[in-house]
């Protein structure tokens, strides 16, 4: 079966891009990355695309008069590359309604909290400040409102009493790097459908043990 063709959009470090590249390097993985896009020429994550020989383009948002033009150019490049699924991976630009409509149900994002809790930025500190005992990461389809959309997969990590935003972010990031390829695989295998704005996973085996923190 043909592999799902991904476009990955980044703005910075690109560690999730790296995780996706590594997953795609497995011949049995049902997706490949056809294009990497960054809105910043300085994004250090671009080196992962270059090292892997993946075509990459920089769309400097400052060079565009408005968001719609910027987004239309990105869509054009992604269409040209034959994109089946757009993966946002630390892409720090809000997307236009037009872009979200064009790629509806073919556009996913990874966010470092258990959505719908803690949308937006600085979410690790927000989780610590709220005193929650678990946080984690979410891969979800993208809708127009920021950090909303049907949830595909989540991974939970404990929040420890001496956590800083940095230590919690590091614990979550380890899970992000496993969860994003896992979610892409679920989609590529045709196991995800959207029903009434909920993502439904077929043949779904979840863990049955409760987590407790503190013990
Ligand atoms: C990740 O924490 C991701 O969840 C969030 O932005 C960060 C990107 O990190 N959306 P990286 O660029 O993939 O290393």
């Amino acid at each position: 079966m043909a592999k799902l063709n991904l476009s990955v959009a980044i703005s910075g470090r690109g560690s999730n891009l790296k995780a996706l590249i590594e997953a795609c390097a497995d011949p049995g993985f049902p997706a490949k990355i056809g294009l990497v896009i960054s809105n910043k020429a300085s994004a250090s994550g671009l080196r992962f695309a270059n090292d892997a020989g993946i075509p990459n383009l920089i769309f400097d948002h400052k060079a565009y008069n408005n968001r719609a033009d910027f987004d239309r150019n990105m869509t054009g490049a992604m269409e040209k590359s034959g994109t089946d699924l757009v993966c946002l991976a630390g892409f720090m630009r809000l997307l236009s309604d037009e872009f979200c409509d064009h790629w509806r149900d073919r556009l996913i994002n990874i966010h470092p909290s258990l959505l719908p809790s803690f949308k937006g930025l600085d979410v690790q500190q927000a989780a610590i400040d709220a005193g929650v005992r678990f946080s984690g990461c979410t891969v979800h389809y993208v809708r127009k409102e920021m950090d909303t959309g049907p949830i595909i997969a989540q991974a939970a990590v404990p929040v420890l009493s001496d956590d800083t935003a940095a230590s919690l972010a590091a614990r979550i990031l380890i899970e992000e790097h496993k969860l994003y390829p896992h979610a892409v695989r679920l989609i590529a295998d045709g196991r995800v459908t959207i029903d009434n704005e909920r993502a439904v996973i077929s043949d779904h085996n979840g863990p049955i043990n409760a987590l407790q923190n503190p013990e």
Side-chain angles (χ1 to χ4, degrees), residues 109-128 130-140 146-159 168-169 171-173 175-176 179 207 211-213:
N109 179 45
I110 187 157
H111 180 79
S113 77
L114 295 175
L115 289 173
S117 292
F118 311 119
K119 296 171 180 161
L121 297 174
D122 297 327
V123 294
Q124 292 88 359
Q125 190 59 52
I128 291 168
V132 294
R133 298 300 192 246
F134 290 97
S135 189
C137 49
T138 303
V139 179
H140 63 100
M146 188 176 58
D147 299 328
T148 65
I151 290 168
I152 302 159
Q154 292 185 310
V157 304
V159 181
L168 179 57
R171 192 174 307 121
I172 293 172
L173 199 61
E175 301 309 316
E176 291 188 41
L179 193 73
L211 298 171
Q212 178 187 305
N213 178 31

Side-chain angles (χ1 to χ4, degrees), residues 6-134:
L6 313 178
S7 277
V8 183
I10 66 168
S11 296
R13 180 177 60 182
S15 67
N16 279 288
L17 166 64
K18 179 168 178 274
L20 288 170
I21 291 172
E22 286 170 0
C24 291
D26 175 353
F29 193 73
K32 62 178 183 180
I33 302 174
L35 181 65
V36 171
I37 277 181
S38 172
N39 65 315
K40 287 189 177 166
S42 60
S44 60
L46 283 168
R47 77 181 188 280
F48 299 125
N50 285 323
D51 288 353
I54 299 170
N56 53 90
L57 295 170
I58 292 148
F59 288 93
D60 180 358
H61 56 273
K62 294 194 215 96
Y64 293 85
N65 290 330
N66 56 58
R67 199 180 296 281
D69 282 351
F70 171 73
D71 285 1
R72 262 181 226 133
N73 274 275
M74 283 202 304
T75 289
M78 290 170 175
E79 288 293 5
K80 205 170 154 199
S81 157
T83 303
D84 298 310
L85 181 71
V86 179
C87 301
L88 305 179
F91 187 65
M92 300 300 285
R93 301 293 300 166
L94 290 174
L95 296 163
S96 62
D97 290 359
E98 188 182 322
F99 188 91
C100 293
D101 283 341
H102 183 92
W103 294 103
R104 190 180 169 92
D105 300 346
R106 298 182 297 153
L107 171 62
I108 64 175
N109 179 45
I110 187 157
H111 180 79
S113 77
L114 295 175
L115 289 173
S117 292
F118 311 119
K119 296 171 180 161
L121 297 174
D122 297 327
V123 294
Q124 292 88 359
Q125 190 59 52
I128 291 168
D129 291 345
V132 294
R133 298 300 192 246
F134 290 97

Side-chain angles (χ1 to χ4, degrees), residues 173-195:
L173 199 61
I174 291 168
E175 301 309 316
E176 291 188 41
H177 297 159
K178 294 182 263 181
L179 193 73
Y180 216 175
H182 177 58
V184 167
R185 181 192 284 277
L186 289 173
I187 293 170
D189 284 346
R191 291 179 57 198
V192 187
T193 49
I194 299 173
D195 179 25

